[in-house]
Amino acid sequence: MRRRVAVIILSRNLPEAVDRLVRGIRRFDLDDTDIYVIEAGTDRDKLSEHHTTWANWPEAMQEGLRPARGFNLGIRELINGGRLHEYDYLFLMRATVHFDGPVVSRLLDQLEEHPRVGIISPCGDTWPERELIGPDSLRYVWHINHHAWMLRRSFVDRIIDHQGTADNGPVFDGSNFRSYGTDTELIVKGYINDYATALSTACALSEDPELLKTRADLIRTDPYDVNARKVFDEGFQWMRRKYGFTTRLQFQEYARLWYDRFFVLHPWLTEYRLLPEDHVAGPRAVPPDAEHERIMVPGP
């Protein structure tokens, strides 16, 4: 039976990166996928030939969309086009990632073996969890940076907000513009609704961090250090306003509470638990005055 996946790639002024991603997916996973490319404030002369949506209104051209609003736009386009119900899974990825082999089919195989997983992410090729998890396996986690997430549509159906505004919904809270913490929030929503988040070593994810650190002019964002400070400041304000948290660590502990509850309800899945002392889930990038945690600065 064919398993239908909508791949949504979020990009800004990175046509070569988009083309590389699309070629790889079509080479290894063509049968399972339809590909949608969201150009978030991209200049006309840097649009990928594969783009399906161009966010070109003045605010988007000036500021971009960032992950929450960008992926919301892609999902909203599927809803408005009456196509969301055609897919069993949504694969939301940034144009800055790449894969060296099949990824969609391998993640699908694991999702079919783990019906309680609502979000699955490939493990980065340099992440320490890769050794902890072992080859061609997975573990359930309470925190992963959003580089490339595959979402089960039944999970999306559970949390989707059809009445949300353009900036807030249908899936992510776009009121947190630079999106710091919206990944953890979605994971928490999963565990609240009895869906786990998994980190997979069945395929490897790579990212080019230099695109954000040295090519800010290309993707039309602030220099890396300036953007990082805005990301953290806005994210902490959002966490405090919405949840009363004053640090990202408090938010992660909140996620862990729901994670622990999941295994109380499903003790037979304990073998897939990643021990708290082992769990970091992502590359290290520690900004000045931030807690010592693994984070990723959102791009376009």
Side-chain angles (χ1 to χ4, degrees):
M1 181 179 66
R2 186 181 182 193
R3 304 165 296 186
R4 297 274 295 182
V5 181
V7 176
I8 300 177
I9 300 171
L10 180 62
S11 179
R12 191 182 194 195
N13 289 333
L14 297 173
E16 295 86 0
V18 171
D19 293 345
R20 178 177 61 180
L21 258 179
V22 171
R23 285 195 303 269
I25 293 170
R26 288 181 172 172
R27 177 184 177 188
F28 295 108
D29 294 301
L30 178 62
D31 291 342
D32 293 319
T33 60
D34 291 328
I35 300 172
Y36 302 90
V37 176
I38 309 300
E39 296 283 6
T42 295
D43 296 333
R44 181 182 294 274
D45 63 347
K46 294 184 178 65
L47 290 169
S48 164
E49 64 182 53
H50 302 287
H51 82 276
T52 53
T53 300
W54 182 22
N56 60 356
W57 52 90
E59 182 182 5
M61 295 299 292
Q62 179 67 32
E63 299 288 343
L65 293 181
R66 314 303 166 105
R69 295 185 185 184
F71 289 124
N72 276 345
L73 176 61
I75 296 169
R76 180 70 69 186
E77 291 285 292
L78 293 180
I79 295 171
N80 292 343
R83 299 189 300 274
L84 181 63
H85 71 280
E86 298 176 3
Y87 299 104
D88 303 303
Y89 304 94
L90 307 179
F91 199 8
L92 314 179
M93 66 180 68
R94 302 162 184 263
T96 52
V97 304
H98 58 91
F99 311 97
D100 293 329
V103 57
V104 173
S105 57
R106 292 182 177 178
L107 294 180
L108 288 177
D109 289 344
Q110 291 184 314
L111 283 166
E112 290 184 352
E113 294 176 1
H114 293 262
R116 292 258 52 88
V117 170
I119 303 171
I120 191 169
S121 169
C123 187
D125 54 4
T126 61
W127 295 2
E129 287 84 359
R130 179 163 290 277
E131 292 187 10
L132 296 169
I133 295 171
D136 296 321
S137 189
L138 58 71
R139 291 293 185 272
Y140 299 175
V141 298
W142 71 88
H143 170 64
I144 314 174
N145 290 326
H146 186 176
H147 297 274
W149 284 8
M150 188 176 289
L151 277 58
R152 190 184 299 273
R153 208 204 70 223
S154 60
F155 163 57
V156 174
D157 289 342
R158 186 76 64 88
I159 65 168
I160 200 166
D161 180 7
H162 288 284
Q163 304 304 316
T165 64
D167 291 342
N168 188 9
V171 172
F172 295 93
D173 186 351
S175 69
N176 181 0
F177 174 57
R178 287 180 169 80
S179 307
Y180 184 57
T182 56
D183 47 6
T184 300
E185 182 178 53
L186 196 66
I187 290 171
V188 170
K189 287 182 179 181
Y191 282 111
I192 288 174
N193 286 279
D194 207 27
Y195 283 98
T197 293
L199 188 60
S200 168
T201 59
C203 46
L205 171 152
S206 300
E207 191 188 37
D208 185 359
E210 295 305 311
L211 284 175
L212 294 179
K213 291 183 178 180
T214 65
R215 303 303 303 277
D217 58 330
L218 181 65
I219 59 176
R220 296 182 59 192
T221 188
D222 296 310
Y224 184 81
D225 291 343
V226 176
N227 184 50
R229 179 51 56 199
K230 289 182 178 180
V231 168
F232 305 135
D233 288 347
E234 291 180 14
F236 292 144
Q237 291 174 19
W238 170 78
M239 292 176 204
R240 183 160 192 165
R241 183 176 65 251
K242 188 169 184 178
Y243 291 98
F245 300 136
T246 58
T247 68
R248 173 68 177 253
L249 182 61
Q250 292 174 349
F251 203 2
Q252 290 182 355
E253 287 299 310
Y254 176 62
R256 182 176 159 185
L257 289 174
W258 286 101
Y259 175 80
D260 291 340
R261 176 182 176 272
F262 179 86
F263 292 104
V264 172
L265 297 176
H266 305 282
W268 57 90
L269 295 174
T270 302
E271 65 179 296
Y272 298 107
R273 182 187 181 103
L274 194 64
L275 297 178
E277 59 268 25
D278 296 335
H279 187 22
V280 287
R284 180 174 292 280
V286 181
D289 303 321
E291 295 123 336
H292 292 277
E293 53 176 329
R294 296 179 185 267
I295 59 166
M296 178 190 60
V297 178

